[in-house]
Amino acid sequence: MTVEINASGFKPIAGGIKIAIDRGGTFTDCIGSHPDRPDVVIKLLSVDPQNYDDAPREAIRRVLEIFTGREISRDAKLDTTLIESIRMGTTVATNALLERKGQKCALVTTKGFRDCLVIGNQSRPKIFDIAIRKPEVLYQQVVEIDERVTLENYTEHPQKLETTDFSADKNLVVGLSGEAVRIIRRPDPESVLKSLLELYEAGFRSIAICLTHSYTFQDHEKLVGELAAKVGFEHISLSSQLMPMIKLVPRATSATADAYLTPEIKKYIDGFESGFDGGLGNASAMGSGKGTRCEFMQSDGGLVDVKSFSGLRAILSGPAGGVVGYALTSYNNDTRIPVIGFDMGGTSTDVSRFGEGRYEHVFETTTAGVTIQSPQLDINTVAAGGGSQLFWRNGLFVVGPESAGAHPGPACYRKGGPLTVTDANLHLGRLLPEFFPKIFGLKENEGLDAAASETLFADMTKKINLELDKASQMSVDQVAYGFLKVANETMIRPIRTLTEAKGLDTSTHRLATFGGAGGQHAVAIAEALGISQILIHRYSSVLSAYGMALADVVQEVQEPSSQVLTPETESLFVERFEELKRKAAASLYDQGFNDSTIEFELYLNMRYQGTESALMIIKPESGYDFKTPFVEHHQQEFGFILLDRDIIVDDVRVRGIGKSFELSENTVDEQLKSLQRPVDTGKSVSVHDVYFEGGRQSTPIYKLDDLSVGEKIQGPSILADGTQTIVVPPGSAAVILETHVVINIGDTEGKKTANTEQIDPITLSIFGHRFMAIAEQMGRALQKTSVSTNVKERLDYSCALFDAKGGLVANAPHLPVHLGSMSTAVRMQADIWKGKLKRGDVIVSNHPQTGGTHLPDITVITPAFHDDKIVFYVASRAHHADIGGILPGSMPPNSRELYQEGAAIYSEKLVSEGRFDEDRVTKLLYDEPAKYPGCSGTRCLPDNINDLKAQVAANQKGITLIDSLIDEYGEDVVQFYMLAIQDNAELSVKNLLKQVSKRFDGKILKAKDYMDDGSPICLSIDINSEEGTAVFDFTGTGPEMYGNMNAPEAVTHSAIIYCLRCMITEDIPLNQGCLKPVKIVIPKDSFLSPSATAAVVGGNVLTSQRVTDVIFRAFEACAASQGDCNNLTFGIGGRIEGQTEQVRGWGYYETIAGGSGAGPTWNGTSGVHTHMTNTRITDAEIFERRYPVLLREFSIRAGSGGDGQYRGGDGVVRDIEFRVPVQCSILSERRVYHPYGLAGGDEASCGLNLWVRLIDDGNGGKKERIINLGGKNTASMQTGERIIINTPGGGGYGHSHLERGDEQHRHDPKHSWRGQGSLAIYTSTQESN
């Protein structure tokens, strides 16, 4: 189908046609332009194999037909002499990733890291999915190279280390980043060549090469690359050339993605080019023969010549065009009003922002489960677009994330598709079939099928009304509109996060909407965000294609750095900028640009010493003072600055821009100055009954082409043409400009109304989103404002919202072990401080008797007041790296009493009426723990104080959001739905328990397992099948231990709520309601209900895992997972015997992955965190930069999972060598009792902790002695000594002789897809921690 401007009456064009194309997921859009003719717009299906092979080439054919006035056969080659340029964005790379249809490739990496991408950051994508689905790696084979380098110094040293003399040691060199690099082992060329030849003979032609620390030391990687070229590999991706940034795993994934995708891109381009008579690209266009310029859009918003287009930079090729389009047409450099881009298409909804006159980029993001390092526009996929499916689940309206896709598409697409957002808009009259392309049906000549949508909505309404009481019955219109409201809230939530997380106010922005479905939702989205003006470009439905026409050619060059920013180092950065500018310019010269058309943007990627949150800062307009804008940006985005810290420059970046287009249209603001007049109502082509809030209203329909510049159309009205439909609700007005439709939103003062006598499922669904959004934004604020590795990188924290009695309302899915336990803490503190708290007060606690889990997890609780009454509490719990005690890290494996584990805070005011009590914090964390024998106070007090302040700030963020929610709806409504959302979760758990009781014929469920010391955990579960309630009885569990495996009662509550949520296959709100149907019986003075002085540090991280295994065993849900967190701590400092002063030091703590248990239809997963923890592991290169360690191996422990019909996942091997003397501790389980198999499956291997000691060999040298440390131990390890942690596997399921079922669904990469952008990367980290 084409939408074309009538070309009759024009002479045929003989050349000079410019073509811009966006090949999207559903539609391919094309704009053809020529200075002597009106533009031609073509819109066609991206996939239509019955009619054409390639949509972009078909679009060009149709454009040429219109401009030349003659018919061109679909089989004919297209004449490039007619075309001046082709600019294109394509989904080829994204589709290849999603469908895993890239080039067969291999990964070459450093010995010991063959499984670094299988393990990744060790977290699981979905926290409640016991059938863990991790996206498969992109390579088919790995080759390990026996080479190794590391960084000589480490940043956590209390005194700053700096190597200045490199002359005495040939193995000590300066890296590209300025860091001192120690060469430990050089690669043997003959051995490398042999390995590469074996790969080549196995049929590999594309390889990725990523060696440790190659971001700064590239020699070894270049050597391997040169040898690979000699062997004859057709594509070689060197990580050091693609993106020389620190972090091994993202860099290796990026190199692999490039090796996987670039050959596929080249294959597509060759096929595309074969359809033209003449070559494509600058070389062809600038040569003597036929040819035309052909450029592809990159993910960073810049064009590149077709011959240089690579897979790594092609991921966001299409969406990037839309950002360029709205940025250049909607942003005014004079008024500098920032713009939020809202691109709602058929298969996805993307959100971005353009402010300060430049694009916002991210440098590490995830697409289709693949995390890569590459400059990309910060485009955030927030929903599935018009194709988002609609569901009624557990009493809630649910929109997406499932999508109907391009095929079958929505129900109205005449392909038997499901009910979607598009169907809701069609049913409510907001989408007009007469204005929608007639491309459906067998002959592709039919319009939308409204009857199909009506039928499915009628069925959905019947289903919903069956579950509602008589007074709450809903009409079909109300149901359809309810889904639209929930869909809007689903999209609004991430938009708020995108802006507010950067310290920005959404209400100060304009909303630029584009994409086929954007105009139907724009006003509702803008209203909710407080935005008063919407801009819709005349090409809004094809704006991505229009953006291709406007874009510049870009060449990015970047190098790593490690230098401190000082006045003295400024000249060094100026020199590096000049060198990088020369490199960027050389590439642009080759593409036909000259100095007059080339501009440069200069950036430094900067952070404070000891933090990992870097900011990419652009050079100020005058001079090279990068410090001032860095400090200002840091204050705005993170809320604090660190005056006593050095500023480190991680990367030096130059963006060379070849200016190729000058936009001639006037700005929106200039056009709005002209006179406006009411529209001639006679221009209305029809009147429809359209549903708005409250009911249907007679709504005039206008054709956009009939409206004149300056006309103002009051709502309700609909403006439409063949490519877009714009809904103007009552209270808003649209103004027609030369280039845009501008919608001004009317004043909507006053609180929203909602019923507080009966539950409205639509409002309940919206509040579910709003409550969770508060917890999520608190978590984001905490991560950003914290300084410690534990919080900022490992994300070892949780944030939640509670009712006035301490009942959990919403818990952002962070750590499972915090789920139910924080509620206990809040309830107890609310009782302790009843009637004593004032605005600005904040409470702190970590004691096991007041809802704490273990002492390093410190909980900060803030009451939310409304009219001097506490209406909510917010709380954040974070794991502090050290709080004193007998060992660094405060996770001693041999503690016997609580005081040995550090500071125990029963209940204290951290902040009084807004004043942070730093003196009291110092006394609690530093002085008090040191009073006990053999104990120190905290070894990192500054980090403790900073992280506590970050927790206070996160809580304040929650308070602010609650206040705005109450302002919006009123306190009564908010309180009513806070209780209703808990009732909704209770209903879901009751339904689960009824189903389980039926499956087991009403029998009492029983299970038993043992801790490694032989202590039993006994559980019986008695379910009342009528009421859907259950008693979880742990009678028979062993007594309190004289050790630290005791678990406070709150830990068992968390384990139960986690297990119940895992067994409910659909998303439900996580709150106090989950435990309402459950009675929990725990015998007092057992190790699941210990005394006030009992050591508990292992209970939180180890006993919790065993409780989880026991619960799943009772329900026969899955075999045992590793049942362990493998807690490793090491460090230096603290109190030394005989000295009164503590020695300043540092501590490090990590938990290590293992194998997950198999289940009735799935294999276990290897190298992943399971159940009660999901913390990330620090990347190998960051690990070695910050600490004096050498990571010798981090790999899968093959064969450690249990065999069975479905195999259990394997554990890992983690081998760490210490480069200075440290105190090292391991706290682990499953070293004696094996993780059980289920239904005849085999048990998994136990874990094993080894200490590789260096002892005298009798000849003046050293030899290794291997010692088994057992499950729990501490040792003083000397320089060169190692600890090797072998973690347990997961149990098998079913007898191994049974035939395995089809398990392909587990590896569907779409399952873990979260889109891309800063929001997506944060959401995935939130859900994985």
Side-chain angles (χ1 to χ4, degrees), residues 131 226 426 660 674 720 995 1133 1183:
E226 289 163 5
L426 179 63
S660 57
S674 59
Q995 292 165 16
F1183 189 43

Side-chain angles (χ1 to χ4, degrees), residues 13 16 119 228 417 635 676 975 1111:
I13 294 295
I119 301 168
Q635 178 68 49
Q676 299 169 18
Q975 294 273 20
I1111 296 169

Side-chain angles (χ1 to χ4, degrees), residues 997-1236:
S997 180
K998 186 177 180 181
R999 179 158 63 94
F1000 287 97
D1001 298 324
K1003 294 176 185 172
I1004 293 177
L1005 312 182
K1006 294 193 174 185
K1008 187 176 186 179
D1009 206 343
Y1010 297 88
M1011 304 298 290
D1012 276 353
D1013 71 346
S1015 295
I1017 296 178
C1018 301
L1019 173 64
S1020 68
I1021 303 172
D1022 190 355
I1023 301 173
N1024 183 322
S1025 59
E1026 295 294 318
E1027 297 179 3
T1029 58
V1031 177
F1032 282 63
D1033 189 346
F1034 290 88
T1035 299
T1037 295
E1040 179 180 311
M1041 301 179 189
Y1042 188 54
N1044 58 24
M1045 292 296 105
N1046 302 295
E1049 285 191 12
V1051 170
T1052 299
H1053 288 223
S1054 296
I1056 292 171
I1057 201 172
Y1058 165 77
C1059 292
L1060 291 173
R1061 171 60 186 85
C1062 285
M1063 291 183 286
I1064 297 171
T1065 55
E1066 297 165 350
D1067 284 342
I1068 64 164
L1070 278 172
N1071 57 48
Q1072 206 63 35
C1074 293
L1075 285 181
K1076 280 185 182 178
V1078 175
K1079 180 182 177 184
I1080 302 169
V1081 177
I1082 304 175
K1084 287 293 178 188
D1085 298 323
S1086 68
F1087 71 92
L1088 298 185
S1089 181
S1091 64
T1093 59
V1096 297
V1097 73
N1100 182 59
V1101 290
L1102 299 178
T1103 308
S1104 64
Q1105 296 281 44
R1106 191 70 75 262
V1107 173
T1108 306
D1109 279 343
V1110 170
I1111 296 169
F1112 281 133
R1113 190 174 204 169
F1115 281 99
E1116 296 181 14
C1118 60
S1121 293
Q1122 68 158 336
D1124 188 19
C1125 291
N1126 305 292
N1127 304 271
L1128 177 69
T1129 56
F1130 58 82
I1132 61 171
R1135 174 168 289 176
I1136 297 176
E1137 209 167 320
Q1139 295 184 10
T1140 55
E1141 292 296 316
Q1142 292 194 151
V1143 175
R1144 188 178 165 207
W1146 50 267
Y1148 175 75
Y1149 166 61
E1150 69 180 22
T1151 59
I1152 308 171
S1156 75
T1161 59
W1162 70 84
N1163 290 319
T1165 299
S1166 302
V1168 68
H1169 256 322
T1170 57
H1171 301 325
M1172 298 304 283
T1173 191
N1174 201 25
T1175 51
R1176 297 179 158 208
I1177 203 151
T1178 304
D1179 187 88
E1181 291 176 348
I1182 296 285
F1183 189 43
E1184 293 184 8
R1185 172 188 264 184
R1186 298 190 76 166
Y1187 303 99
V1189 295
L1190 184 71
L1191 185 59
R1192 299 267 293 253
E1193 181 180 358
F1194 191 31
S1195 63
I1196 298 296
R1197 186 187 175 201
S1200 55
D1203 198 7
Q1205 180 184 11
Y1206 294 100
R1207 279 194 58 84
D1210 291 328
V1212 303
V1213 178
R1214 190 159 171 88
D1215 184 344
I1216 301 170
E1217 178 182 326
F1218 298 104
R1219 301 181 66 210
V1220 301
V1222 299
Q1223 189 72 28
C1224 180
S1225 304
I1226 182 69
L1227 184 60
S1228 60
E1229 271 283 321
R1230 291 290 193 199
R1231 269 49 181 178
V1232 178
Y1233 286 88
H1234 292 252
Y1236 62 80

Side-chain angles (χ1 to χ4, degrees), residues 926-940:
Y926 191 78
D927 299 335
E928 292 293 331
K931 293 178 180 177
Y932 293 96
C935 294
S936 291
T938 176
R939 298 158 184 87
C940 51

Side-chain angles (χ1 to χ4, degrees), residues 689-855:
D689 275 346
V690 181
Y691 194 95
F692 295 99
E693 187 75 50
R696 289 189 179 258
Q697 297 189 35
S698 293
T699 304
I701 313 299
Y702 296 91
K703 286 182 71 173
L704 275 166
D705 290 344
D706 294 344
L707 299 172
S708 305
V709 172
E711 287 190 310
K712 185 175 183 179
I713 305 97
Q714 289 293 148
S717 56
I718 290 180
L719 321 180
D721 62 15
T723 61
Q724 63 184 317
T725 302
I726 301 168
V727 176
V728 185
S732 298
V735 179
I736 307 300
L737 303 182
E738 186 179 338
T739 59
H740 289 75
V741 175
V742 175
I743 299 178
N744 294 307
I745 297 174
D747 192 6
T748 54
E749 284 185 6
K751 286 185 171 65
K752 293 182 179 176
T753 57
N755 192 343
T756 55
E757 294 178 3
Q758 289 173 325
I759 295 168
D760 172 22
I762 300 168
T763 309
L764 181 64
S765 304
I766 290 170
F767 268 103
H769 281 283
R770 297 296 290 273
F771 289 142
M772 187 61 81
I774 291 171
E776 286 173 351
Q777 289 193 56
M778 287 174 64
R780 180 138 189 167
L782 176 53
Q783 185 208 11
K784 281 189 166 292
T785 55
S786 64
V787 297
S788 70
T789 302
N790 270 351
V791 177
K792 190 167 284 296
E793 286 181 52
R794 292 182 60 251
L795 306 185
D796 196 345
Y797 64 84
S798 282
C799 296
L801 169 66
F802 304 84
D803 63 31
K805 295 180 180 177
L808 179 65
V809 174
N811 196 128
H814 296 107
L815 290 171
V817 77
H818 294 168
L819 281 176
S821 58
M822 268 211 288
S823 182
T824 307
V826 174
R827 278 202 308 271
M828 294 194 73
Q829 296 301 330
D831 287 342
I832 291 169
W833 291 93
K834 191 172 183 178
K836 304 173 191 173
L837 294 175
K838 300 177 181 177
R839 285 181 186 272
D841 287 352
V842 181
I843 306 159
V844 63
S845 176
N846 69 343
H847 202 287
Q849 294 296 301
T850 55
T853 46
H854 62 180
L855 298 185

Side-chain angles (χ1 to χ4, degrees), residues 57 63 164 217 350 370 407 478 488 567 699 740 747 780 925 1008 1032 1070 1102 1105 1305 1318:
R57 198 163 62 234
V63 167
T164 54
F217 182 77
D350 294 328
V370 179
H407 182 82
Q478 287 173 323
N488 290 336
T699 304
H740 289 75
D747 192 6
R780 180 138 189 167
L925 297 181
K1008 187 176 186 179
F1032 282 63
L1070 278 172
L1102 299 178
Q1105 296 281 44
H1305 69 280
S1318 58

